[in-house]
Amino acid sequence: MTRLDYSTQCIEEDDIKGVMEVLNSPFLTQGRKVEEFEKALCDYTGAKYAITFNSATSALSGAYLACGISEGDEIITSPISFVATSNMFVTLGARPVWCDVKLDGNIDETQIQRLITPKTKAIVPVDFAGKPVAIELINSIAKQHNLLVIQDASHALGSSMNGKKIGILADMTIFSFHAIKPITTSEGGAVLTDNEEYAKELRLIRSHGMIKKELWNSDMVRMGYNFRMTEVAGSLGVTQIKKLDTFIKKRNEISAYYDERFKNEKLFLTQKISSGQISSRHLYPVILAPQLHCSKEDIFKELQELGLGVQVHYKPIYQNSFYKEKFGEISLPVANDFYRSEISIPCHQQMSLEDAEFVADIFLKVINKYSFRGCSF
Ligand SMILES: *Cc1c(COP(=O)(O)O)cnc(C)c1O
């Protein structure tokens, strides 16, 4: 049995053919393919503007810059995310105010209100594993307090809420096309928005703040970077997005199989997708019961030895040494518990139902074995 990773890319002949065509063409960076991919992102989600970047990290940075986040601002965000979500506003001198999460890994929308101060500029929720956050409530809190909502939907391209795709539900939405995200451009990201002003700023920020004038003349009108996507990446985006719905269907089949197998489990919880929601199922997170917490390292090692490429998502961002040094000890009860108990098991579009059966069998066997050990000290 080959090793099954918690997530993996799916590159096929059409993807390779597209890349070869680009490599044989005169244009290697941000050109026709990138534009075609941006249009496809708009068509798929219904957003007015899609501005691609060379990673979601650059896209986050671009989004925060475009709306003027700066020194002294506060941003309410989730600690259960990849560090880049918080890192990119810390680089601007803004302060992350982490809000606790729920057991599904998403920000606890009921706790946002009390964290708002006169310095708060934006709310940055993360759709954990692809499950949409409670965006309607978050938007209404934001509206009451005149805050922006920037959704880090790096896991959630293709997810939707009541028929509306993630990408049109916040002021700006960020997607990642890193190798193992819902679709890949090898490295890449995008900001989607309906706001023309942000779109204009984002395009300037990604390319040195320069606009073309006549003949050789160009003008740098604001500070900017080289955050551009290559044509090679753009081409992958064009072929991959055509297959997104097939990928999501497959990951939902695998997840549905697990949901069924695990429905009466007492030793762990799984992430429940609410009615009206579709999840990209970027990850299949499992939350172990407290009596398994102290065995998590052994469980993790044993699952890996048995061929399951499990992973843990995520260490709360405030537990990283950089953040401890900068902001001191922070401790949010559910986020801490979430980290103690979470394991992501293999779930991706390259898996068959037989693979899923294999994963579920091994997982149940290992979990049951450790349930007798307990956590007594
Ligand atoms: C992957 C990820 C990022 C960073 O994406 P890159 O494209 O690798 O820069 C940011 N936020 C979240 C939630 C992610 O999962």
Side-chain angles (χ1 to χ4, degrees), residues 4 49 60-61 85 122 134 136 153 192 228 264 299:
L4 285 159
Y49 308 100
L60 283 162
S61 178
T85 317
E136 277 168 20
L192 272 61
R228 294 186 305 260
N264 296 320
I299 292 170

Side-chain angles (χ1 to χ4, degrees), residues 55-57 60 81-82 84-85 126 152 154-155 176-178 181 187-188 314:
S55 71
T57 304
L60 283 162
S81 183
F82 185 60
T85 317
V126 178
D152 183 349
S154 288
H155 298 184
S176 172
F177 315 118
H178 170 272
K181 296 288 161 76
E187 295 273 13
Y314 291 95

